[in-house]
Amino acid sequence: MKHKILFLCLGNICRSPAAEGVMRSLVEREGLRDIIEIDSAGTYGGHRGDLPDARMRNAAARRGYNLTHRARLLREEDFDEFDMIIVMDDMNYEAAHRISPSRKHSERIFRMRDFFSERFADYSYVPDPYYEGVDGFELVLDMLEDGCAGLLETLKQESR
Ligand code: 4NP
């Protein structure tokens, strides 16, 4: 079974392109590139066409992730194309529901925190690092590495 996953945040220049990079790296390491497709989008179009924020690109590069995504807006068609839309926070969750074409399609919306291990059990969302210092980006990457590993396990179990 093929999986198509879309990570969603606000600007599509910090959290969701980083999630895309982390997940792509995990998927390639496990040789699952033909089975799991990954993309990311945002609900605010102000950075459309931009590369990820330089602070996020630098923090990700230090961990071996090369982020080359160009920011784009979430579209209604994404709800047909992707079988999971994974949001970073409550604002993205509500925005995704507003854009979703039907209640059935809304069943494809998940929260990143649903895939966290015990390590991040106290967090109900992935905090927006845009206005934070370097620590914010490191925390986001720690959370995304944890959540993407959990997501991959879930997908593998579904495929069994
Ligand atoms: P992201 O971070 O949602 O993780 O990409 C943000 C980037 C830009 C803005 C907000 C959040 N902004 O308001 O420009």
Side-chain angles (χ1 to χ4, degrees):
M1 181 183 157
K2 198 164 175 136
H3 299 283
K4 291 192 80 173
I5 293 165
L6 183 72
F7 293 104
L8 184 73
C9 64
L10 179 60
N12 192 211
I13 56 166
C14 295
R15 293 164 293 175
S16 63
E20 179 188 342
V22 169
M23 192 66 186
R24 180 159 290 128
S25 161
L26 277 178
V27 161
E28 288 188 0
R29 197 186 308 160
E30 303 230 3
L32 298 171
R33 200 201 309 200
D34 294 339
I35 296 169
I36 303 175
E37 278 183 38
I38 308 151
D39 194 5
S40 66
T43 62
Y44 161 68
H47 294 280
R48 212 176 314 179
D50 290 354
L51 279 170
D53 186 287
R55 295 165 298 172
M56 182 53 95
R57 270 189 285 143
N58 290 337
R62 285 194 291 275
R63 299 185 189 210
Y65 309 114
N66 181 24
L67 306 185
T68 58
H69 177 79
R70 293 283 176 171
R72 73 165 181 88
L73 268 174
L74 178 69
R75 336 173 250 256
E76 200 177 308
E77 304 89 85
D78 288 321
F79 285 84
D80 282 318
E81 172 138 7
F82 294 91
D83 42 53
M84 291 179 93
I85 294 172
I86 302 182
V87 307
M88 299 296 143
D89 64 27
D90 287 346
M91 197 159 89
N92 318 147
Y93 185 82
E94 280 160 26
H97 276 87
R98 279 199 297 276
I99 294 166
S100 168
S102 76
R103 208 168 275 190
K104 195 79 195 148
H105 286 92
S106 298
E107 290 170 9
R108 300 177 177 204
I109 303 169
F110 298 84
R111 297 174 193 270
M112 195 70 213
R113 72 120 191 268
D114 295 341
F115 305 100
F116 287 164
S117 71
E118 271 304 300
R119 180 178 171 201
F120 291 111
D122 290 344
Y123 284 86
S124 60
Y125 60 94
V126 182
D128 182 348
Y130 192 65
Y131 297 106
E132 301 270 332
V134 171
D135 288 354
F137 289 88
E138 297 300 335
L139 172 65
V140 166
L141 285 168
D142 286 344
M143 294 173 105
L144 294 176
E145 286 176 338
D146 183 273
C148 285
L151 171 61
L152 187 62
E153 270 318 300
T154 303
L155 297 178
K156 280 163 117 183
Q157 276 170 18
E158 279 177 13
S159 300
R160 267 183 205 132

